[in-house]
mmCIF file of all heavy atoms in Angstrom:
data_model
loop_
_atom_site.group_PDB
_atom_site.id
_atom_site.type_symbol
_atom_site.label_atom_id
_atom_site.label_comp_id
_atom_site.label_asym_id
_atom_site.label_seq_id
_atom_site.Cartn_x
_atom_site.Cartn_y
_atom_site.Cartn_z
ATOM 1 N N ARG A 789 -4.933 -30.723 -23.815
ATOM 2 C CA ARG A 789 -4.283 -32.014 -23.611
ATOM 3 C C ARG A 789 -3.876 -32.258 -22.162
ATOM 4 O O ARG A 789 -3.811 -33.406 -21.720
ATOM 5 C CB ARG A 789 -3.035 -32.107 -24.500
ATOM 6 C CG ARG A 789 -3.317 -31.969 -25.980
ATOM 7 C CD ARG A 789 -4.124 -33.133 -26.513
ATOM 8 N NE ARG A 789 -4.410 -33.018 -27.928
ATOM 9 C CZ ARG A 789 -3.599 -33.406 -28.891
ATOM 10 N NH1 ARG A 789 -2.421 -33.934 -28.587
ATOM 11 N NH2 ARG A 789 -3.948 -33.276 -30.159
ATOM 12 N N ARG A 790 -3.588 -31.197 -21.438
ATOM 13 C CA ARG A 790 -3.024 -31.395 -20.107
ATOM 14 C C ARG A 790 -3.805 -30.715 -18.986
ATOM 15 O O ARG A 790 -3.415 -30.786 -17.825
ATOM 16 C CB ARG A 790 -1.576 -30.891 -20.078
ATOM 17 C CG ARG A 790 -0.692 -31.511 -21.151
ATOM 18 C CD ARG A 790 0.715 -30.974 -21.035
ATOM 19 N NE ARG A 790 1.558 -31.411 -22.144
ATOM 20 C CZ ARG A 790 2.834 -31.045 -22.295
ATOM 21 N NH1 ARG A 790 3.387 -30.225 -21.406
ATOM 22 N NH2 ARG A 790 3.533 -31.470 -23.324
ATOM 23 N N GLY A 791 -4.861 -30.011 -19.329
ATOM 24 C CA GLY A 791 -5.658 -29.364 -18.297
ATOM 25 C C GLY A 791 -5.063 -28.090 -17.741
ATOM 26 O O GLY A 791 -5.436 -27.647 -16.647
ATOM 27 N N PHE A 792 -4.142 -27.459 -18.472
ATOM 28 C CA PHE A 792 -3.550 -26.193 -18.034
ATOM 29 C C PHE A 792 -4.532 -25.046 -18.290
ATOM 30 O O PHE A 792 -5.526 -25.215 -19.000
ATOM 31 C CB PHE A 792 -2.238 -25.958 -18.776
ATOM 32 C CG PHE A 792 -1.075 -26.749 -18.248
ATOM 33 C CD1 PHE A 792 -0.803 -28.016 -18.746
ATOM 34 C CD2 PHE A 792 -0.251 -26.248 -17.248
ATOM 35 C CE1 PHE A 792 0.261 -28.761 -18.274
ATOM 36 C CE2 PHE A 792 0.816 -26.974 -16.763
ATOM 37 C CZ PHE A 792 1.076 -28.234 -17.270
ATOM 38 N N PRO A 793 -4.256 -23.855 -17.737
ATOM 39 C CA PRO A 793 -5.152 -22.713 -17.953
ATOM 40 C C PRO A 793 -5.333 -22.401 -19.438
ATOM 41 O O PRO A 793 -4.395 -22.528 -20.228
ATOM 42 C CB PRO A 793 -4.439 -21.565 -17.219
ATOM 43 C CG PRO A 793 -3.617 -22.247 -16.169
ATOM 44 C CD PRO A 793 -3.161 -23.529 -16.792
ATOM 45 N N ASN A 794 -6.557 -21.962 -19.799
ATOM 46 C CA ASN A 794 -6.848 -21.635 -21.186
ATOM 47 C C ASN A 794 -6.665 -20.145 -21.445
ATOM 48 O O ASN A 794 -6.255 -19.380 -20.561
ATOM 49 C CB ASN A 794 -8.271 -22.084 -21.547
ATOM 50 C CG ASN A 794 -9.319 -21.445 -20.637
ATOM 51 O OD1 ASN A 794 -9.070 -20.445 -19.967
ATOM 52 N ND2 ASN A 794 -10.508 -22.039 -20.615
ATOM 53 N N LEU A 795 -6.971 -19.721 -22.674
ATOM 54 C CA LEU A 795 -6.781 -18.320 -23.043
ATOM 55 C C LEU A 795 -7.638 -17.389 -22.198
ATOM 56 O O LEU A 795 -7.199 -16.288 -21.862
ATOM 57 C CB LEU A 795 -7.105 -18.131 -24.527
ATOM 58 C CG LEU A 795 -6.013 -18.550 -25.509
ATOM 59 C CD1 LEU A 795 -6.557 -18.563 -26.932
ATOM 60 C CD2 LEU A 795 -4.807 -17.616 -25.410
ATOM 61 N N ARG A 796 -8.849 -17.816 -21.859
ATOM 62 C CA ARG A 796 -9.707 -16.968 -21.032
ATOM 63 C C ARG A 796 -9.067 -16.688 -19.675
ATOM 64 O O ARG A 796 -9.192 -15.586 -19.133
ATOM 65 C CB ARG A 796 -11.080 -17.650 -20.853
ATOM 66 C CG ARG A 796 -12.046 -16.885 -19.943
ATOM 67 C CD ARG A 796 -12.319 -15.488 -20.472
ATOM 68 N NE ARG A 796 -12.903 -15.504 -21.779
ATOM 69 C CZ ARG A 796 -14.211 -15.631 -22.003
ATOM 70 N NH1 ARG A 796 -15.055 -15.761 -20.981
ATOM 71 N NH2 ARG A 796 -14.668 -15.602 -23.230
ATOM 72 N N TYR A 797 -8.386 -17.668 -19.127
ATOM 73 C CA TYR A 797 -7.698 -17.489 -17.849
ATOM 74 C C TYR A 797 -6.658 -16.371 -17.967
ATOM 75 O O TYR A 797 -6.591 -15.482 -17.117
ATOM 76 C CB TYR A 797 -7.037 -18.790 -17.433
ATOM 77 C CG TYR A 797 -6.100 -18.679 -16.245
ATOM 78 C CD1 TYR A 797 -6.592 -18.698 -14.938
ATOM 79 C CD2 TYR A 797 -4.720 -18.556 -16.428
ATOM 80 C CE1 TYR A 797 -5.744 -18.597 -13.852
ATOM 81 C CE2 TYR A 797 -3.854 -18.459 -15.340
ATOM 82 C CZ TYR A 797 -4.364 -18.481 -14.057
ATOM 83 O OH TYR A 797 -3.509 -18.380 -12.979
ATOM 84 N N TYR A 798 -5.839 -16.423 -19.024
ATOM 85 C CA TYR A 798 -4.804 -15.401 -19.190
ATOM 86 C C TYR A 798 -5.414 -14.030 -19.466
ATOM 87 O O TYR A 798 -4.898 -13.001 -18.993
ATOM 88 C CB TYR A 798 -3.849 -15.804 -20.314
ATOM 89 C CG TYR A 798 -2.921 -16.926 -19.924
ATOM 90 C CD1 TYR A 798 -3.152 -18.228 -20.348
ATOM 91 C CD2 TYR A 798 -1.812 -16.691 -19.109
ATOM 92 C CE1 TYR A 798 -2.317 -19.270 -19.971
ATOM 93 C CE2 TYR A 798 -0.967 -17.723 -18.734
ATOM 94 C CZ TYR A 798 -1.222 -19.010 -19.172
ATOM 95 O OH TYR A 798 -0.389 -20.033 -18.792
ATOM 96 N N GLU A 799 -6.502 -14.006 -20.222
ATOM 97 C CA GLU A 799 -7.184 -12.735 -20.452
ATOM 98 C C GLU A 799 -7.697 -12.148 -19.138
ATOM 99 O O GLU A 799 -7.539 -10.949 -18.878
ATOM 100 C CB GLU A 799 -8.349 -12.931 -21.421
ATOM 101 C CG GLU A 799 -7.917 -13.121 -22.861
ATOM 102 C CD GLU A 799 -9.116 -13.219 -23.786
ATOM 103 O OE1 GLU A 799 -10.275 -13.114 -23.296
ATOM 104 O OE2 GLU A 799 -8.906 -13.404 -25.003
ATOM 105 N N ASP A 800 -8.324 -12.976 -18.323
ATOM 106 C CA ASP A 800 -8.872 -12.500 -17.047
ATOM 107 C C ASP A 800 -7.758 -12.021 -16.112
ATOM 108 O O ASP A 800 -7.884 -10.982 -15.452
ATOM 109 C CB ASP A 800 -9.675 -13.604 -16.370
ATOM 110 C CG ASP A 800 -10.978 -13.902 -17.090
ATOM 111 O OD1 ASP A 800 -11.403 -13.072 -17.913
ATOM 112 O OD2 ASP A 800 -11.563 -14.969 -16.829
ATOM 113 N N MET A 801 -6.661 -12.789 -16.066
ATOM 114 C CA MET A 801 -5.547 -12.401 -15.206
ATOM 115 C C MET A 801 -4.920 -11.099 -15.680
ATOM 116 O O MET A 801 -4.604 -10.208 -14.879
ATOM 117 C CB MET A 801 -4.496 -13.517 -15.177
ATOM 118 C CG MET A 801 -4.938 -14.791 -14.475
ATOM 119 S SD MET A 801 -5.286 -14.549 -12.708
ATOM 120 C CE MET A 801 -3.648 -14.175 -12.107
ATOM 121 N N GLY A 802 -4.713 -10.984 -16.978
ATOM 122 C CA GLY A 802 -4.113 -9.770 -17.517
ATOM 123 C C GLY A 802 -5.005 -8.561 -17.332
ATOM 124 O O GLY A 802 -4.558 -7.496 -16.891
ATOM 125 N N ARG A 803 -6.282 -8.733 -17.655
ATOM 126 C CA ARG A 803 -7.224 -7.618 -17.559
ATOM 127 C C ARG A 803 -7.347 -7.115 -16.121
ATOM 128 O O ARG A 803 -7.293 -5.906 -15.864
ATOM 129 C CB ARG A 803 -8.597 -8.068 -18.076
ATOM 130 C CG ARG A 803 -9.617 -6.959 -18.175
ATOM 131 C CD ARG A 803 -10.958 -7.496 -18.656
ATOM 132 N NE ARG A 803 -10.862 -8.035 -20.011
ATOM 133 C CZ ARG A 803 -10.945 -9.331 -20.314
ATOM 134 N NH1 ARG A 803 -11.116 -10.236 -19.348
ATOM 135 N NH2 ARG A 803 -10.862 -9.729 -21.560
ATOM 136 N N SER A 804 -7.497 -8.029 -15.178
ATOM 137 C CA SER A 804 -7.669 -7.626 -13.778
ATOM 138 C C SER A 804 -6.396 -6.996 -13.219
ATOM 139 O O SER A 804 -6.464 -6.050 -12.428
ATOM 140 C CB SER A 804 -8.090 -8.821 -12.923
ATOM 141 O OG SER A 804 -7.108 -9.840 -12.936
ATOM 142 N N SER A 805 -5.244 -7.501 -13.628
ATOM 143 C CA SER A 805 -3.975 -6.936 -13.156
ATOM 144 C C SER A 805 -3.784 -5.511 -13.666
ATOM 145 O O SER A 805 -3.421 -4.606 -12.910
ATOM 146 C CB SER A 805 -2.803 -7.811 -13.603
ATOM 147 O OG SER A 805 -2.855 -9.085 -12.993
ATOM 148 N N PHE A 806 -4.047 -5.296 -14.946
ATOM 149 C CA PHE A 806 -3.901 -3.949 -15.505
ATOM 150 C C PHE A 806 -4.932 -2.993 -14.915
ATOM 151 O O PHE A 806 -4.644 -1.808 -14.712
ATOM 152 C CB PHE A 806 -4.019 -3.986 -17.029
ATOM 153 C CG PHE A 806 -2.801 -4.541 -17.722
ATOM 154 C CD1 PHE A 806 -2.912 -5.577 -18.641
ATOM 155 C CD2 PHE A 806 -1.539 -4.035 -17.445
ATOM 156 C CE1 PHE A 806 -1.788 -6.083 -19.285
ATOM 157 C CE2 PHE A 806 -0.403 -4.541 -18.080
ATOM 158 C CZ PHE A 806 -0.527 -5.560 -19.004
ATOM 159 N N ARG A 807 -6.118 -3.503 -14.601
ATOM 160 C CA ARG A 807 -7.127 -2.646 -13.984
ATOM 161 C C ARG A 807 -6.668 -2.172 -12.605
ATOM 162 O O ARG A 807 -6.800 -0.994 -12.261
ATOM 163 C CB ARG A 807 -8.455 -3.385 -13.857
ATOM 164 C CG ARG A 807 -9.587 -2.516 -13.314
ATOM 165 C CD ARG A 807 -10.881 -3.304 -13.172
ATOM 166 N NE ARG A 807 -11.318 -3.839 -14.454
ATOM 167 C CZ ARG A 807 -11.386 -5.122 -14.751
ATOM 168 N NH1 ARG A 807 -11.036 -6.041 -13.835
ATOM 169 N NH2 ARG A 807 -11.810 -5.533 -15.919
ATOM 170 N N ALA A 808 -6.104 -3.094 -11.824
ATOM 171 C CA ALA A 808 -5.603 -2.724 -10.501
ATOM 172 C C ALA A 808 -4.419 -1.770 -10.606
ATOM 173 O O ALA A 808 -4.267 -0.861 -9.779
ATOM 174 C CB ALA A 808 -5.200 -3.990 -9.734
ATOM 175 N N LEU A 809 -3.597 -1.976 -11.609
ATOM 176 C CA LEU A 809 -2.419 -1.125 -11.780
ATOM 177 C C LEU A 809 -2.773 0.293 -12.216
ATOM 178 O O LEU A 809 -2.058 1.249 -11.887
ATOM 179 C CB LEU A 809 -1.491 -1.735 -12.838
ATOM 180 C CG LEU A 809 -0.663 -2.954 -12.434
ATOM 181 C CD1 LEU A 809 -0.054 -3.597 -13.677
ATOM 182 C CD2 LEU A 809 0.437 -2.572 -11.454
ATOM 183 N N SER A 810 -3.853 0.444 -12.953
ATOM 184 C CA SER A 810 -4.159 1.734 -13.566
ATOM 185 C C SER A 810 -4.343 2.844 -12.537
ATOM 186 O O SER A 810 -4.102 4.016 -12.846
ATOM 187 C CB SER A 810 -5.412 1.617 -14.441
ATOM 188 O OG SER A 810 -6.550 1.316 -13.652
ATOM 189 N N ASP A 811 -4.737 2.482 -11.315
ATOM 190 C CA ASP A 811 -4.960 3.493 -10.285
ATOM 191 C C ASP A 811 -3.864 3.466 -9.209
ATOM 192 O O ASP A 811 -3.992 4.120 -8.183
ATOM 193 C CB ASP A 811 -6.334 3.279 -9.632
ATOM 194 C CG ASP A 811 -6.790 4.498 -8.850
ATOM 195 O OD1 ASP A 811 -6.566 5.625 -9.329
ATOM 196 O OD2 ASP A 811 -7.347 4.333 -7.749
ATOM 197 N N HIS A 812 -2.798 2.725 -9.466
ATOM 198 C CA HIS A 812 -1.712 2.636 -8.496
ATOM 199 C C HIS A 812 -0.863 3.909 -8.561
ATOM 200 O O HIS A 812 -0.624 4.466 -9.631
ATOM 201 C CB HIS A 812 -0.846 1.408 -8.800
ATOM 202 C CG HIS A 812 0.054 1.006 -7.671
ATOM 203 N ND1 HIS A 812 1.229 1.677 -7.396
ATOM 204 C CD2 HIS A 812 -0.036 0.003 -6.754
ATOM 205 C CE1 HIS A 812 1.828 1.093 -6.366
ATOM 206 N NE2 HIS A 812 1.073 0.089 -5.958
ATOM 207 N N ARG A 813 -0.384 4.346 -7.397
ATOM 208 C CA ARG A 813 0.382 5.598 -7.347
ATOM 209 C C ARG A 813 1.656 5.518 -8.192
ATOM 210 O O ARG A 813 2.097 6.515 -8.780
ATOM 211 C CB ARG A 813 0.732 5.963 -5.905
ATOM 212 C CG ARG A 813 1.740 5.038 -5.237
ATOM 213 C CD ARG A 813 2.213 5.552 -3.892
ATOM 214 N NE ARG A 813 3.290 4.723 -3.368
ATOM 215 C CZ ARG A 813 4.573 4.889 -3.669
ATOM 216 N NH1 ARG A 813 4.936 5.865 -4.483
ATOM 217 N NH2 ARG A 813 5.498 4.097 -3.144
ATOM 218 N N LEU A 814 2.272 4.335 -8.268
ATOM 219 C CA LEU A 814 3.491 4.205 -9.057
ATOM 220 C C LEU A 814 3.185 4.254 -10.550
ATOM 221 O O LEU A 814 4.004 4.722 -11.337
ATOM 222 C CB LEU A 814 4.219 2.906 -8.698
ATOM 223 C CG LEU A 814 4.849 2.872 -7.308
ATOM 224 C CD1 LEU A 814 5.474 1.504 -7.024
ATOM 225 C CD2 LEU A 814 5.905 3.973 -7.165
ATOM 226 N N ALA A 815 2.020 3.790 -10.941
ATOM 227 C CA ALA A 815 1.622 3.912 -12.346
ATOM 228 C C ALA A 815 1.469 5.383 -12.716
ATOM 229 O O ALA A 815 1.874 5.804 -13.809
ATOM 230 C CB ALA A 815 0.327 3.157 -12.595
ATOM 231 N N ARG A 816 0.904 6.159 -11.818
ATOM 232 C CA ARG A 816 0.784 7.609 -12.076
ATOM 233 C C ARG A 816 2.160 8.254 -12.092
ATOM 234 O O ARG A 816 2.437 9.112 -12.939
ATOM 235 C CB ARG A 816 -0.109 8.255 -11.017
ATOM 236 C CG ARG A 816 -1.567 7.769 -11.073
ATOM 237 C CD ARG A 816 -2.462 8.635 -10.203
ATOM 238 N NE ARG A 816 -2.142 8.497 -8.785
ATOM 239 C CZ ARG A 816 -2.679 7.584 -7.982
ATOM 240 N NH1 ARG A 816 -3.554 6.710 -8.470
ATOM 241 N NH2 ARG A 816 -2.357 7.522 -6.708
ATOM 242 N N ARG A 817 3.021 7.839 -11.183
ATOM 243 C CA ARG A 817 4.378 8.405 -11.127
ATOM 244 C C ARG A 817 5.148 8.113 -12.405
ATOM 245 O O ARG A 817 5.863 8.981 -12.921
ATOM 246 C CB ARG A 817 5.118 7.820 -9.919
ATOM 247 C CG ARG A 817 6.584 8.215 -9.836
ATOM 248 C CD ARG A 817 7.254 7.542 -8.655
ATOM 249 N NE ARG A 817 8.681 7.764 -8.632
ATOM 250 C CZ ARG A 817 9.508 7.212 -7.756
ATOM 251 N NH1 ARG A 817 9.036 6.414 -6.805
ATOM 252 N NH2 ARG A 817 10.800 7.453 -7.802
ATOM 253 N N TYR A 818 5.029 6.912 -12.935
ATOM 254 C CA TYR A 818 5.752 6.526 -14.145
ATOM 255 C C TYR A 818 4.977 6.856 -15.425
ATOM 256 O O TYR A 818 5.411 6.491 -16.518
ATOM 257 C CB TYR A 818 6.055 5.018 -14.116
ATOM 258 C CG TYR A 818 6.938 4.579 -12.991
ATOM 259 C CD1 TYR A 818 6.614 3.447 -12.232
ATOM 260 C CD2 TYR A 818 8.103 5.277 -12.668
ATOM 261 C CE1 TYR A 818 7.433 3.020 -11.194
ATOM 262 C CE2 TYR A 818 8.918 4.859 -11.628
ATOM 263 C CZ TYR A 818 8.584 3.730 -10.893
ATOM 264 O OH TYR A 818 9.402 3.315 -9.856
ATOM 265 N N GLU A 819 3.840 7.524 -15.283
ATOM 266 C CA GLU A 819 3.003 7.927 -16.417
ATOM 267 C C GLU A 819 2.536 6.715 -17.223
ATOM 268 O O GLU A 819 2.496 6.734 -18.458
ATOM 269 C CB GLU A 819 3.747 8.931 -17.310
ATOM 270 C CG GLU A 819 4.131 10.207 -16.581
ATOM 271 C CD GLU A 819 4.835 11.213 -17.462
ATOM 272 O OE1 GLU A 819 5.259 10.824 -18.582
ATOM 273 O OE2 GLU A 819 4.958 12.377 -17.063
ATOM 274 N N LEU A 820 2.176 5.661 -16.510
ATOM 275 C CA LEU A 820 1.711 4.430 -17.142
ATOM 276 C C LEU A 820 0.212 4.196 -16.953
ATOM 277 O O LEU A 820 -0.345 3.268 -17.545
ATOM 278 C CB LEU A 820 2.475 3.230 -16.577
ATOM 279 C CG LEU A 820 3.966 3.148 -16.923
ATOM 280 C CD1 LEU A 820 4.630 2.031 -16.113
ATOM 281 C CD2 LEU A 820 4.164 2.911 -18.414
ATOM 282 N N SER A 821 -0.443 5.031 -16.165
ATOM 283 C CA SER A 821 -1.863 4.817 -15.867
ATOM 284 C C SER A 821 -2.736 4.734 -17.113
ATOM 285 O O SER A 821 -3.574 3.819 -17.229
ATOM 286 C CB SER A 821 -2.389 5.913 -14.922
ATOM 287 O OG SER A 821 -1.857 5.755 -13.632
ATOM 288 N N PRO A 822 -2.582 5.658 -18.090
ATOM 289 C CA PRO A 822 -3.435 5.560 -19.288
ATOM 290 C C PRO A 822 -3.208 4.273 -20.069
ATOM 291 O O PRO A 822 -4.157 3.699 -20.620
ATOM 292 C CB PRO A 822 -3.023 6.794 -20.115
ATOM 293 C CG PRO A 822 -2.431 7.738 -19.124
ATOM 294 C CD PRO A 822 -1.744 6.876 -18.114
ATOM 295 N N ILE A 823 -1.960 3.806 -20.119
ATOM 296 C CA ILE A 823 -1.646 2.565 -20.831
ATOM 297 C C ILE A 823 -2.295 1.382 -20.131
ATOM 298 O O ILE A 823 -2.920 0.524 -20.765
ATOM 299 C CB ILE A 823 -0.128 2.383 -20.938
ATOM 300 C CG1 ILE A 823 0.461 3.455 -21.853
ATOM 301 C CG2 ILE A 823 0.226 0.980 -21.441
ATOM 302 C CD1 ILE A 823 1.973 3.469 -21.891
ATOM 303 N N PHE A 824 -2.151 1.318 -18.814
ATOM 304 C CA PHE A 824 -2.750 0.212 -18.061
ATOM 305 C C PHE A 824 -4.271 0.235 -18.158
ATOM 306 O O PHE A 824 -4.907 -0.823 -18.248
ATOM 307 C CB PHE A 824 -2.309 0.271 -16.600
ATOM 308 C CG PHE A 824 -0.851 -0.017 -16.374
ATOM 309 C CD1 PHE A 824 -0.176 0.545 -15.302
ATOM 310 C CD2 PHE A 824 -0.148 -0.848 -17.226
ATOM 311 C CE1 PHE A 824 1.171 0.278 -15.076
ATOM 312 C CE2 PHE A 824 1.193 -1.127 -17.017
ATOM 313 C CZ PHE A 824 1.858 -0.564 -15.940
ATOM 314 N N GLU A 825 -4.841 1.417 -18.152
ATOM 315 C CA GLU A 825 -6.295 1.530 -18.268
ATOM 316 C C GLU A 825 -6.766 1.001 -19.623
ATOM 317 O O GLU A 825 -7.755 0.258 -19.704
ATOM 318 C CB GLU A 825 -6.721 2.992 -18.098
ATOM 319 C CG GLU A 825 -8.218 3.230 -18.230
ATOM 320 C CD GLU A 825 -9.031 2.545 -17.142
ATOM 321 O OE1 GLU A 825 -8.493 2.322 -16.044
ATOM 322 O OE2 GLU A 825 -10.211 2.249 -17.396
ATOM 323 N N THR A 826 -6.044 1.359 -20.683
ATOM 324 C CA THR A 826 -6.410 0.882 -22.016
ATOM 325 C C THR A 826 -6.274 -0.631 -22.111
ATOM 326 O O THR A 826 -7.144 -1.319 -22.671
ATOM 327 C CB THR A 826 -5.538 1.548 -23.086
ATOM 328 O OG1 THR A 826 -5.733 2.962 -23.049
ATOM 329 C CG2 THR A 826 -5.897 1.046 -24.478
ATOM 330 N N LEU A 827 -5.205 -1.179 -21.568
ATOM 331 C CA LEU A 827 -5.009 -2.625 -21.615
ATOM 332 C C LEU A 827 -6.042 -3.361 -20.775
ATOM 333 O O LEU A 827 -6.437 -4.480 -21.116
ATOM 334 C CB LEU A 827 -3.597 -2.981 -21.153
ATOM 335 C CG LEU A 827 -2.481 -2.634 -22.141
ATOM 336 C CD1 LEU A 827 -1.103 -2.886 -21.518
ATOM 337 C CD2 LEU A 827 -2.622 -3.435 -23.433
ATOM 338 N N SER A 828 -6.498 -2.758 -19.697
ATOM 339 C CA SER A 828 -7.542 -3.403 -18.893
ATOM 340 C C SER A 828 -8.869 -3.439 -19.657
ATOM 341 O O SER A 828 -9.632 -4.398 -19.550
ATOM 342 C CB SER A 828 -7.717 -2.678 -17.561
ATOM 343 O OG SER A 828 -8.364 -1.431 -17.718
ATOM 344 N N GLN A 829 -9.128 -2.405 -20.446
ATOM 345 C CA GLN A 829 -10.383 -2.326 -21.186
ATOM 346 C C GLN A 829 -10.338 -3.113 -22.496
ATOM 347 O O GLN A 829 -11.375 -3.606 -22.965
ATOM 348 C CB GLN A 829 -10.725 -0.863 -21.490
ATOM 349 C CG GLN A 829 -11.017 -0.031 -20.252
ATOM 350 C CD GLN A 829 -11.290 1.424 -20.597
ATOM 351 O OE1 GLN A 829 -11.218 1.841 -21.744
ATOM 352 N NE2 GLN A 829 -11.609 2.214 -19.579
ATOM 353 N N HIS A 830 -9.162 -3.203 -23.092
ATOM 354 C CA HIS A 830 -9.047 -3.795 -24.429
ATOM 355 C C HIS A 830 -7.998 -4.901 -24.473
ATOM 356 O O HIS A 830 -7.296 -5.050 -25.472
ATOM 357 C CB HIS A 830 -8.695 -2.704 -25.447
ATOM 358 C CG HIS A 830 -9.678 -1.575 -25.496
ATOM 359 N ND1 HIS A 830 -10.970 -1.731 -25.968
ATOM 360 C CD2 HIS A 830 -9.566 -0.276 -25.099
ATOM 361 C CE1 HIS A 830 -11.608 -0.572 -25.881
ATOM 362 N NE2 HIS A 830 -10.782 0.325 -25.358
ATOM 363 N N PHE A 831 -7.916 -5.671 -23.407
ATOM 364 C CA PHE A 831 -6.902 -6.732 -23.362
ATOM 365 C C PHE A 831 -7.104 -7.730 -24.504
ATOM 366 O O PHE A 831 -6.153 -8.096 -25.195
ATOM 367 C CB PHE A 831 -6.947 -7.457 -22.016
ATOM 368 C CG PHE A 831 -5.834 -8.451 -21.837
ATOM 369 C CD1 PHE A 831 -4.657 -8.082 -21.198
ATOM 370 C CD2 PHE A 831 -5.944 -9.754 -22.312
ATOM 371 C CE1 PHE A 831 -3.613 -8.993 -21.043
ATOM 372 C CE2 PHE A 831 -4.909 -10.666 -22.154
ATOM 373 C CZ PHE A 831 -3.738 -10.279 -21.526
ATOM 374 N N GLU A 832 -8.328 -8.174 -24.700
ATOM 375 C CA GLU A 832 -8.574 -9.167 -25.750
ATOM 376 C C GLU A 832 -8.231 -8.607 -27.126
ATOM 377 O O GLU A 832 -7.639 -9.306 -27.963
ATOM 378 C CB GLU A 832 -10.024 -9.625 -25.731
ATOM 379 C CG GLU A 832 -10.314 -10.719 -26.769
ATOM 380 C CD GLU A 832 -11.757 -11.177 -26.763
ATOM 381 O OE1 GLU A 832 -12.609 -10.436 -26.233
ATOM 382 O OE2 GLU A 832 -12.032 -12.264 -27.287
#
């Protein structure tokens, strides 16, 4: 109705963000890398 981002946009943003996070040093420090990796692969 209004031309706002669709579900694919949010999927792409979420997937790419989690992919970048999965190899971040703070993700490894907080033991979140495996979670971020899974969410990047299986966001949908």
